Amino acid sequence: MSYIPLASAAGRFHVCAHRGHSIGAPENTLPALEAAVRHGASVAEIDVVLTRDDEIVLLHDEILDRTTTGKGRAAALDLAAIRQLDAGAWFGPQFAGTRVPTLAEALATARRLGLGLLVEIKERQRVGRMIERLGEVLAAQKALDDVLVISFDHVSLVAVRECIPGARTELITHARHVDAAGLARRAGAASVAIEADMFHADEARALHAAGVAVRVTLPRPEKIAARRAYGLDIEAPIVAALREGLVDVLAGDDTRAIAALVRDHAPR
C-alpha cells in the first residue's frame, strides 16, 4: 500500500502503533505488527539497526539485552546468530520463540496486512552504511511508497533524501522549535512527529499550511490517568486538535486506545 501521512491528501486520519501494538505483543516483532492491524492501526513505527554482516533488523536498542535472550551489541553478531535469539519470551510465555525480524520481512508483512511503516534509524555507529542498505532493501521490496524514514537525527534524514531518490522522511522532535514548518521545509520532510506535551495547535496549523503532516504520540493510558488524577490532562488538547483536524497521525503503544480516539474525535 502507499502510505500518505497528510490526512487531507490521504482522505483519512491515521492510527499509528508505536513499535507495533507494543502494549500487547513484544515490540518490533511480526506479532506486534499483526496485532496492530487487528486493533485498528493503519501505520506502525518500527526501529532498525545493522547486524555485523550489514543486515537491517528490527530492534529499538543497539544492545540486545532488553528484548532478546542475547547480550551485547547487535552489531557484534551476524544475522544468523541473531536469528537464534528469542525476542518474545521476555514479554510473555505465549510469545516464546518469536524471532528478531529483518526489515525485509517486516516490509513484506506490512504489505500483506495493508500497513504503512515509519522506519526509525536507531543505528548510531554506521549511519552511512545503514542508509545505503536501507535504499537497497526498499528498492528490492519495491516499498519506497510504503514507508517514511524517520529519525531524531535530522542531518541523517537529509542524507537519506540525497542517497535514496524518492525517499520521504519525518523529523522526530522532543522539543519545541522556533519555526517547525521552516525546519521541515529545509529538511524536505513530509511529516513532523511531536510529543503530546510539546504539541501546540498554532504550530500544527503552520505545518499544514506548508503541506507537512503532523504526527503526535500519546503515552500509555495508565500514564495519562496518573497525570489526570493530579489535574494534568495531556489528552484533552490532543482530542481538541483531532477534532479540528490538526493531527494527521495519532500514535501510541496501546493501538486500541489510539484507534478509539481517532474514531470518536477525528472529523469524518
Side-chain angles (χ1 to χ4, degrees):
M1 63 167 288
S2 179
Y3 172 62
I4 302 171
L6 195 64
S8 59
R12 67 180 300 179
F13 293 84
H14 288 285
V15 173
C16 178
H18 183 236
R19 307 181 198 173
H21 181 55
S22 55
I23 202 169
E27 65 181 62
N28 282 313
T29 64
L30 301 185
L33 297 182
E34 292 164 353
V37 172
R38 287 198 302 273
H39 293 301
S42 52
V43 62
E45 182 268 358
I46 58 174
D47 307 292
V48 294
V49 300
L50 282 176
T51 65
R52 184 168 58 188
D53 50 349
D54 290 351
E55 296 294 338
I56 303 178
V57 294
L58 273 58
L59 204 67
H60 179 272
D61 309 335
E62 291 180 287
I63 304 299
L64 295 161
D65 301 43
R66 183 175 64 87
T67 58
T68 79
T69 50
K71 291 189 178 299
R73 294 175 55 205
L77 296 179
D78 291 343
L79 177 61
I82 289 179
R83 290 280 203 197
Q84 302 304 310
L85 304 178
D86 191 315
W90 68 274
F91 191 89
Q94 69 273 36
F95 293 105
T98 299
R99 303 302 173 195
V100 175
T102 64
L103 176 59
E105 290 169 336
L107 290 167
T109 298
R111 178 166 290 178
R112 173 174 58 81
L113 297 170
L115 186 70
L117 289 179
L118 306 180
V119 180
E120 181 174 351
I121 297 175
K122 288 293 189 182
E123 176 67 36
R124 293 290 178 262
Q125 308 307 313
R126 295 182 292 154
V127 179
R129 183 55 177 150
M130 166 62 85
I131 293 171
E132 290 175 358
R133 290 290 294 124
L134 189 56
E136 292 167 1
V137 172
L138 291 176
Q141 295 289 316
K142 296 181 172 58
L144 200 59
D145 292 338
D146 303 342
V147 309
L148 296 188
V149 182
I150 72 176
S151 179
F152 291 96
D153 181 352
H154 300 172
V155 174
S156 71
L157 293 180
V158 173
V160 166
R161 296 188 68 250
E162 291 172 349
C163 296
I164 308 176
R168 298 170 301 152
T169 61
E170 176 184 90
L171 311 180
I172 308 176
T173 63
H174 269 186
R176 291 188 71 190
H177 295 271
V178 171
D179 181 6
L183 188 74
R185 279 195 298 267
R186 288 193 297 276
S191 178
V192 171
I194 306 170
E195 293 297 307
D197 58 356
M198 288 288 161
F199 175 85
H200 285 259
D202 287 345
E203 289 161 15
R205 294 187 188 99
L207 286 163
H208 277 177
V212 178
V214 176
R215 178 167 71 96
V216 174
T217 300
L218 279 170
R220 292 188 175 199
E222 64 269 21
K223 292 186 177 180
I224 294 173
R227 295 185 64 167
R228 189 180 291 130
Y230 292 101
L232 299 170
D233 193 346
I234 194 173
E235 189 176 84
I238 305 306
V239 166
L242 265 177
R243 289 172 176 161
E244 196 177 335
L246 297 178
V247 177
D248 303 281
V249 186
L250 189 62
D253 293 355
D254 188 339
T255 312
R256 188 179 319 190
I258 297 297
L261 288 173
V262 171
R263 180 186 65 243
D264 293 345
H265 300 293
R268 298 294 180 185

